């Protein structure tokens, strides 16, 4: 058979927008030439403010040329900065980073050191960045900024083994924000693939602060990311002992437990709520977990409680509306979606799309069309236009529906193909198969290897009796997409349906079934080709599997015919008549019933 065509972050990703300086990375504001060069030139005019290039130690003297006089130094600095910036403009980041690195060693100026680190980071010369960061801290040992940059350079250089002492010193210097900074540790190393190394580093860094719940939380996060679930659980439970009402820790505990047992995670959230019934974040997480386990009644009870306390929180209203929709409580879902769009959420398209679906299902076509028209750019944009066009066609406005599909603004080339296929579908349903074929064939002429167009035009060619075109296009599709189960199935089914080349048909459908063993349409095709070959028992087995997966009228027609041939007349009639009640306009079913009518 052929086939028709803003929630709260999880604790593991937790971060605050106002993270303190310990979370800064190597990215620094660009030091403009206008600001840096005059500051050096000003030193010439004000000897009392000169910095310390003349007091360099012997180590740096070995790596740079003798320091020239002030005027010569200023000229060299200006020249080298210009040279480095021109190299950057030309895309030669390696040359720029080398020039700045030499200049940093020459001047030991903090601004030039900072610019050196930035350029070296851009060039991914983390060795140069690390050298400059260490020199900066040597020049300004009390600079907190220099300490931050050194840590960042060590992180980017993947020198984690020696990093813990520097992190501890930096953490200790900001006692007022210690807890928050501990929570930010994992974010600093989020891009590092060596999760074990990160875990050991954070474990070592947090030891001096082990009396703080945030330290245990940080270790738990790192342990969980490294796959050390036992250690992660023990650490997060210690955090909860220190701060029993800490929702963030309760959420992380549940997240860790989910990896081994969703039911245990749910139990942990339930225990926390029993002790802290106003914990809204935990209650929301529990409601979502219950939905994941299909415990819808319990989830609905929680959402009802949450909505009493927080009727205007989109992160609660939206999932509550979705749950009502899943439970076929359309009126309740509609009320909640209508409320959602009044809450000032940045993107209302999804809510409008669901409101359109609800109105469409309730036969309120004009209302549905108005909702679909309000769906903006995004995942629902094209589906909303497709549904609008179908509604217009059902109202007898086929021409208007086609115009709407062709005039969608902002559609991608891939979207345009799907819109054309939808237009052809509307024409086919209106019994205008030739026009439908012409629409797609014209597009295929411009894109002769477009897979979807090859497939759809092949199916329409079959409807028009153009079997040569059907076969040639499906074979071309198989050549272009050798893993396309639908192409093998369509070609095999076309042979089986015409009762020709049945051996080849069986091979094609078997190939399709191997690629997509659960596809009900392919299972139906296999049943149909086996029926054509006279293997009625095997045919019925495949058809029953197909019908169990999809209540499709054509599958019901095939089952009815096979049952009739097996002498099971009552079952055949019952199967087809029950299907006809659900699909009264289906031609294949009506034809089968007429064929076997007494």
């Amino acid at each position: 058979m052929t086939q028709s065509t803003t929630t709260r972050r999880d604790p593991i990703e937790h971060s605050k927008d106002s993270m303190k300086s310990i979370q800064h990375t190597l990215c620094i504001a660009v030091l403009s030439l206008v600001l840096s060069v005059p500051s050096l030139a000003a030193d010439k005019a004000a000897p009392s403010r000169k910095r310390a290039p003349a007091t360099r130690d012997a180590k740096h003297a070995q790596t740079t040329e003798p320091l020239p006089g002030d005027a010569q130094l200023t000229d060299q600095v200006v020249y080298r900065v210009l040279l480095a910036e021109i190299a950057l403009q030309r895309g030669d980041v390696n040359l720029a980073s080398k020039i700045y690195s030499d200049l940093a060693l020459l001047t030991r100026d903090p601004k030039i050191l900072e610019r050196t680190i930035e350029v070296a980071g851009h060039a991914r010369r983390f060795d140069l960045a690390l050298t400059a960061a260490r020199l900066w801290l040597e020049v300004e040992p009390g600079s907190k900024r220099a300490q931050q940059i050194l840590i960042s350079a060590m992180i980017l250089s993947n020198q984690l083994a020696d990093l813990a002492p520097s992190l501890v010193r930096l953490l200790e210097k900001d006692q007022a924000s210690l807890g928050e900074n501990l929570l930010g540790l994992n974010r600093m190393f989020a891009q590092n693939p060596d999760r074990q190394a990160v875990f050991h580093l954070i474990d070592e860094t947090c030891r001096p602060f082990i009396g703080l719940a945030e330290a245990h939380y940080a270790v738990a996060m790192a342990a969980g990311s490294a796959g050390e679930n036992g250690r992660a659980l023990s650490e997060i439970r210690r955090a909860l002992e220190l701060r029993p009402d800490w929702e963030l820790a309760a959420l992380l505990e549940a997240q860790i437990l989910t990896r081994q047992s969703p039911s245990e995670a749910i139990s942990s959230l339930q225990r926390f709520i029993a002790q802290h019934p106003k914990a809204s974040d935990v209650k929301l997480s529990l409601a979502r977990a219950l939905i994941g386990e299909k415990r819808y009644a319990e989830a609905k009870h929680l959402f009802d409680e949450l909505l009493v306390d927080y009727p205007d929180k989109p992160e609660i209203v939206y999932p509550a509306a979705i749950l009502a929709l899943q439970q076929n409580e359309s009126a309740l879902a509609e009320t909640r979606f209508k409320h959602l769009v009044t809450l000032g959420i940045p993107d209302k398209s999804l809510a409008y799309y669901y409101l359109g679906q609800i109105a469409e299902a309730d036969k309120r076509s004009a209302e549905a069309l108005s909702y679909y028209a309000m769906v903006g750019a995004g995942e629902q944009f094209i589906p909303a236009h497709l549904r609008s066009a179908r509604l217009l066609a059902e109202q007898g406005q086929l021409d208007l529906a086609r115009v709407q599909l062709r005039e969608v603004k902002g559609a991608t080339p891939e979207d345009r193909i799907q819109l054309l296929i939808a237009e052809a579908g509307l024409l086919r349903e209106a019994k205008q198969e030739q026009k439908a074929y012409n629409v797609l064939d014209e597009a295929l002429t411009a894109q002769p290897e477009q897979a979807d167009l090859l497939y759809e035009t092949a199916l329409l060619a079959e409807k028009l009796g153009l079997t040569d075109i059907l076969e040639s296009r499906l074979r071309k599709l198989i050549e272009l997409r050798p893993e396309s189960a639908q192409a093998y199935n369509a070609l095999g089914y076309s042979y089986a349906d015409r009762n020709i080349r049945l051996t080849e048909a069986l091979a094609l459908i078997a190939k399709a079934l191997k690629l997509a063993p659960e596809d009900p349409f392919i299972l139906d095709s296999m049943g149909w080709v086996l029926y054509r070959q006279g293997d009625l028992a095997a045919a019925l087995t495949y058809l029953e599997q197909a019908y169990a997966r999809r209540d499709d009228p054509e599958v019901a027609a095939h089952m009815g015919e096979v049952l009739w041939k097996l002498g099971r007349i009552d079952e055949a009639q019952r199967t087809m008549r029950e299907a006809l009640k659900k699909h009264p306009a289906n031609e294949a079913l009506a034809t089968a019933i007429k064929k076997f009518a007494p």
Side-chain angles (χ1 to χ4, degrees):
M1 178 177 180
T2 55
Q3 186 175 1
S4 303
T5 40
T6 3
T7 58
R8 178 177 290 271
R9 299 178 187 174
D10 289 333
I12 209 76
E13 299 171 347
H14 172 74
S15 66
K16 294 184 181 243
D17 294 336
S18 58
M19 278 297 178
K20 299 297 181 181
S21 55
I22 192 170
Q23 298 167 269
H24 286 207
T25 61
L26 195 56
C27 182
I28 315 167
V30 174
L31 176 64
S32 70
L33 187 59
V34 174
L35 292 176
S36 62
V37 174
S39 70
L40 292 169
D43 285 345
K44 177 182 175 185
S48 63
R49 293 188 291 110
K50 288 180 182 176
R51 285 178 286 274
T55 62
R56 295 173 303 151
D57 56 35
K59 176 177 68 174
H60 292 104
Q62 293 172 2
T63 60
T64 59
E65 58 189 282
L67 191 65
D70 285 346
Q72 187 180 354
L73 172 61
T74 300
D75 291 342
Q76 283 197 26
V77 169
V78 172
Y79 170 73
R80 294 189 189 188
V81 168
L82 283 170
L83 189 62
E85 293 297 329
I86 290 170
L88 278 175
Q89 290 179 4
R90 294 178 176 178
D92 195 343
V93 290
N94 287 318
L95 176 59
S97 61
K98 180 65 171 62
I99 293 171
Y100 265 120
S101 181
D102 291 343
L103 189 58
L105 292 174
L106 177 67
T107 65
R108 297 165 64 84
D109 182 274
K111 285 188 177 181
I112 290 181
L113 283 162
E114 189 169 5
R115 180 60 167 161
T116 300
I117 294 165
E118 182 193 27
V119 174
H122 185 57
R124 305 194 68 79
R125 286 296 307 274
F126 301 133
D127 56 328
L128 297 180
L130 187 57
T131 299
R134 284 173 171 155
L135 179 56
W136 186 4
L137 192 59
E138 182 182 317
V139 171
E140 294 187 336
S143 169
K144 187 176 179 181
R145 181 67 171 155
Q147 289 179 332
Q148 298 163 6
I149 296 301
L150 176 59
I151 289 172
S152 297
M154 292 177 74
I155 292 171
L156 290 174
S157 302
N158 203 30
Q159 297 193 19
L160 303 189
D162 303 323
L163 189 53
S166 297
L167 283 172
V168 171
R169 284 194 296 272
L170 196 58
L171 286 163
E172 287 175 336
K173 287 187 177 181
D174 192 4
Q175 289 292 324
S177 301
L178 180 56
E180 188 176 349
N181 287 334
L182 285 167
L183 291 179
L185 280 175
N186 281 274
R187 187 171 181 270
M188 293 177 67
F189 305 98
Q191 302 303 316
N192 193 305
D194 191 346
R195 306 316 301 167
Q196 279 290 334
V198 171
F199 164 51
H200 291 304
L201 170 62
I202 292 180
D203 188 21
E204 184 180 353
T205 301
C206 289
R207 284 173 196 165
F209 314 106
I210 211 65
L212 292 174
E214 291 86 352
H216 292 282
Y217 183 97
V219 175
M221 284 186 68
S225 295
E228 302 282 348
N229 286 342
R231 178 69 186 280
L233 276 175
S234 66
E235 291 292 337
I236 200 60
R237 285 169 176 167
R238 177 59 181 148
L240 281 166
E241 288 174 7
L242 293 168
R243 287 181 59 180
D245 62 344
W246 194 13
E247 288 192 64
L248 194 63
L251 293 172
L252 181 55
E253 180 188 19
Q255 188 170 330
I256 295 166
L257 285 169
T258 297
R259 298 167 188 166
Q260 58 191 45
S261 170
S263 62
E264 285 188 34
I266 287 173
S267 297
S268 75
L269 294 171
Q270 289 172 328
R271 286 193 298 270
F272 188 88
I273 290 171
Q275 297 173 3
H276 309 283
K278 294 298 183 180
S280 60
D281 289 342
V282 174
K283 194 174 287 188
L284 179 58
S285 181
L286 175 58
R288 290 172 175 157
L290 289 167
I291 289 173
E293 293 299 297
K294 295 183 171 55
R295 294 163 63 173
Y296 300 121
E298 294 172 79
K300 182 179 183 301
H301 177 71
L302 284 172
F303 276 121
D304 289 343
E305 287 184 1
L306 285 165
L307 286 168
V308 170
D309 295 329
Y310 307 98
D312 296 329
K313 290 187 75 170
E315 58 266 37
I316 294 173
V317 177
Y318 172 71
I322 291 292
L323 178 60
L325 197 61
Q326 289 176 335
Q327 295 296 99
N328 294 319
E329 297 181 88
S330 298
L332 179 59
E334 184 172 19
T335 299
R336 288 175 175 171
F337 279 123
K338 284 182 175 179
H339 181 52
L340 183 64
V341 298
T342 69
L343 298 180
I345 56 176
D347 185 2
K348 302 178 182 181
S349 291
L350 187 58
Y352 284 133
Y353 182 71
Y354 283 128
L355 284 168
Q357 285 188 313
I358 293 168
E360 183 181 346
D362 202 31
K363 307 299 182 185
R364 292 177 278 139
S365 299
E367 195 173 341
L369 286 169
S370 68
Y371 282 128
Y372 290 143
M374 288 188 278
V375 176
E379 189 176 345
Q380 286 74 38
F381 182 66
I382 296 301
H385 278 83
L386 297 179
R387 284 183 170 272
S388 292
R390 180 170 292 279
L391 279 173
L392 290 170
E394 288 174 355
Q395 294 173 356
Q397 302 182 71
L398 178 59
D399 291 340
L400 181 58
R402 295 180 65 189
V403 169
Q404 177 173 300
L405 290 173
R406 288 182 175 248
E407 293 184 354
V408 173
K409 295 179 180 179
T412 66
E414 293 77 15
D415 291 337
R416 291 291 175 200
I417 297 298
Q418 297 310 311
L419 291 166
L420 282 172
I421 291 172
E423 181 184 351
L426 295 179
L427 288 166
R428 183 178 61 246
E429 290 175 7
K431 312 299 182 188
Q432 299 182 35
E433 286 90 353
Q434 186 64 57
K435 281 188 178 180
Y437 176 81
N438 292 342
V439 165
L440 297 185
D441 193 53
E442 181 182 349
L444 185 63
T445 301
Q447 303 179 65
E449 294 189 347
Q450 212 290 325
D452 291 337
L453 292 175
L454 283 168
Y455 181 74
E456 295 294 336
T457 54
L459 300 187
L460 282 166
E462 183 178 35
K463 291 283 187 184
L464 295 169
L466 306 173
T467 54
D468 290 344
I469 293 177
L470 160 75
E471 183 170 348
S472 66
R473 292 191 178 172
L474 288 177
R475 291 197 181 279
K476 184 173 183 178
L477 179 56
I478 289 171
E479 181 182 341
L480 292 171
R481 300 276 181 88
E483 299 304 310
S484 172
Q486 286 71 31
Y488 291 105
N489 179 57
L491 185 56
Y493 180 79
S494 73
Y495 291 150
D497 202 41
R498 286 179 283 150
N499 206 15
I500 63 171
R501 301 166 69 169
L502 295 181
T503 301
E504 185 178 358
L506 181 63
L508 287 164
I509 296 168
K511 173 69 173 178
L513 197 58
K514 185 177 180 180
L515 291 168
E518 299 298 320
D519 190 305
F521 296 105
I522 301 175
L523 288 166
D524 173 75
S525 297
M526 179 59 77
W528 198 236
V529 72
L530 289 169
Y531 166 68
R532 292 297 200 194
Q533 290 182 324
D535 192 345
L536 301 182
L540 183 60
T541 298
Y542 279 102
L543 292 170
E544 286 174 338
Q545 291 178 40
Y547 202 49
R549 285 168 174 79
R550 185 180 178 92
D551 181 5
D552 186 89
E554 290 189 35
V555 179
H558 290 161
M559 279 186 62
E561 186 161 341
V562 173
L563 286 166
W564 196 286
K565 291 292 185 182
L566 284 167
R568 295 158 62 174
I569 309 300
D570 291 341
E571 287 182 67
Q573 291 177 332
R574 184 171 60 252
T575 298
M576 291 188 286
R577 285 173 180 166
E578 287 177 356
L580 189 63
K581 290 178 184 178
K582 300 175 186 176
H583 310 280
N586 185 265
E587 291 183 5
L589 194 55
T591 300
I593 290 175
K594 184 177 180 180
K595 178 180 178 180
F596 294 102

